[in-house]
Amino acid sequence: MNKMPSPSPAIPGAEIVARFAAIVGERYAVTDPTDQVPYLREWRDLFTGRTSVVLRPGSTEEVSAILKLANELGVAVVPQGGNTGLVGGQIPDPDGREIVISLGRLDKVREIDLNSDTMTVEAGVTLERIHEEALAVERMFPLTLASQGTCQIGGNLSSNAGGTAVLAYGNARSLALGLEVVLPTGEIWNGLRKLHKDNTGYDLKHLFIGAEGTLGIITAAVLQLQPAPKSQEVAFAGLASPEDALKLLQIAKQRAGRQLTAFELMPRIGLTFAVRHAPGARSPLEGEHEWYVLTELTSGRSAEEAQALLEEIFTEAFEAGIVEDAAVAQSLDQAASFWKVRHALSEVQKHEGGSIKHDVSVPVALIPTLLERGIAAVTDLIPGCRPVPFGHMGDGNIHFNISQPVGADKEAFLARWDEANTVVHAIVAELDGSISAEHGIGRLKRDLLPGVKSPVELEMMRRIKATFDPNGILNPGRIL
Ligand code: FAD
């Protein structure tokens, strides 16, 4: 078995910090503990870290110089984008030996090529800004996440983010044509190609996409743009069961094909939490239902076309007794208010005490089985717990979250995280699913990997890591 290389265990001292600071300039080397706080904790406080310096390089060359020096000295480096990752990969260890490279200053849109439908951007550009820049030239970049105001494209690509539009457009991996990457040795790979077809050997960009910053630092990317839609129509439906949601999904897929751009499932308790805690969120439907589905259709031609399709889908679903009630958004504001409920779901759970998270996927057909078995298993394990499984049903990905029983002790509940994971992941394994559909492995799920990957698969991963990062300086202890 290939042994994982490891960086120096020493905490970088003042002299070493000064050498790194000289690369970016004092102003962009954050050493003050108060100023460092935003880089050292993530929003749920699941991971907090310590570091001697946060470096904020302003160019690919500066990233290269930092990695070259870090590689020489054996100093461990943690790349950080918008710090919205959910598996702890972007937060340095609490022991303080890792330095942080924050990519936010690499924030240029280098080029928009309308004839190739591409946008070349630096790693620190936020996803939201990419949406805005694309819309300004009547194009669209489809990757859509609730965190898009903060997360950065470098982080999106490094985590191979999914989100709500995977059903029609695929995940981040499918949306990047080329990358610029700085390797752990400091070498710069300019792979900023705009090609849809390029069978010249190994497609190296795919190694860095989804590598969670363990193989190289992405400094820029060529993104593939889509035509801006003429209309996006949204419906919010109440249903009795996930089986009915599956039937609705089939009708929608058959009738709308790739025009079906989102199909999001949520349980009643999720809607209740959203309405209770998200300012301005309200239920789109009068009555209560066990399950809800948000369906979005996109048209490149007209609003009328998308509305007519939506009507066809829901007429068929009503006639078949699949849907109990449904509301179609009548304006952009109303569509935004339907989405607000869905996008609030990750955040609102924290107002209900402890929440144990899972980010799993199974074949789409098995989502009802996953939900039925998963809910039974976790309520058996922790009586009174409140399962809040929700998410991207259209692509088979459910965030199988569990809120603590009302009035329970939060710490005692969270202490059962691993037990709950074991139960849910065992069901996922039986259903041939994945224990990390879109959030990655990071530190949170690293120790689960040997249970779900074969020895030969793990060994290939270790060899790739050792080839790219012989001294093990880049994001050590993440993934592997
Ligand atoms: P960070 O959190 O800063 O980093 C993530 C990982 O990438 C870390 O391992 C880090 O070391 C590495 N990294 C960051 N930048 C670079 C770089 N330039 N080069 C190399 N490595 C780098 N995720 C989904 O997939 N789908 C969702 O629907 C979704 N919804 C979310 C909703 C909320 C409210 C929140 C808070 C998060 C959600 N996420 C979702 C998770 C998160 O937003 C994504 O993983 C996002 O892609 C992370 O981007 P970031 O810039 O914040 O990266």
Side-chain angles (χ1 to χ4, degrees), residues 75-336:
V75 171
V77 174
V78 177
Q80 189 177 98
N83 189 12
T84 66
L86 298 173
V87 289
Q90 75 281 13
I91 301 290
D93 265 346
D95 60 20
R97 72 192 167 91
E98 299 174 338
I99 64 169
V100 176
I101 298 192
S102 172
L103 280 308
R105 285 183 64 229
L106 296 186
D107 62 353
K108 289 183 202 62
V109 173
R110 290 190 189 165
E111 187 203 28
I112 296 180
D113 175 347
L114 290 180
N115 286 324
S116 303
D117 283 313
T118 58
M119 188 191 294
T120 305
V121 290
E122 294 186 343
V125 179
T126 63
L127 182 54
E128 190 144 285
R129 189 169 148 222
I130 291 168
H131 284 201
E132 289 163 4
E133 299 273 355
L135 264 185
V137 291
E138 295 180 14
R139 301 291 190 278
M140 171 184 70
F141 184 63
L143 187 70
T144 303
L145 317 179
S147 53
Q148 64 197 32
T150 312
C151 64
Q152 301 170 3
I153 194 66
N156 298 146
L157 290 167
S158 299
S159 57
N160 187 25
T164 54
V166 171
L167 182 57
Y169 302 103
N171 45 22
R173 187 185 296 287
S174 330
L175 305 171
L177 293 177
L179 292 184
E180 178 186 86
V181 180
V182 180
L183 302 183
T185 49
E187 291 156 282
I188 299 172
W189 173 49
N190 182 344
L192 288 174
R193 299 177 184 127
K194 298 180 183 173
L195 304 177
H196 293 268
K197 289 184 154 184
D198 179 20
N199 283 348
T200 51
Y202 307 135
D203 197 340
L204 295 172
K205 67 176 176 290
H206 286 305
L207 274 178
F208 298 100
I209 299 174
E212 301 179 47
T214 59
L215 299 180
I217 295 191
I218 296 174
T219 46
V222 179
L223 307 175
Q224 201 180 328
L225 302 178
Q226 300 289 332
K230 292 278 184 296
S231 141
Q232 283 176 309
E233 302 298 319
V234 182
F236 201 90
L239 306 94
S241 67
E243 283 80 4
D244 284 341
L246 188 59
K247 290 179 195 156
L248 177 63
L249 174 62
Q250 283 312 320
I251 294 174
K253 281 206 281 201
Q254 290 303 321
R255 290 198 179 255
R258 279 175 58 100
Q259 281 181 262
L260 176 64
T261 43
F263 193 91
E264 298 287 310
L265 179 75
M266 65 201 91
R268 180 162 61 169
I269 192 169
L271 180 70
T272 306
F273 285 2
V275 170
R276 194 179 289 162
H277 302 296
R282 46 187 217 89
S283 172
L285 301 174
E286 291 279 310
E288 291 208 326
H289 305 271
E290 283 306 307
W291 294 89
Y292 297 92
V293 165
L294 184 153
T295 307
E296 181 189 81
L297 296 191
T298 297
S299 172
R301 284 187 283 275
S302 67
E304 290 73 28
E305 188 209 46
Q307 283 158 2
L309 248 181
L310 208 51
E311 201 175 309
E312 269 178 39
I313 291 166
F314 279 92
T315 304
E316 184 178 339
F318 271 118
E319 282 169 1
I322 291 168
V323 165
E324 294 177 337
D325 193 10
V328 176
Q330 299 299 320
S331 64
L332 284 179
D333 279 354
Q334 210 175 12

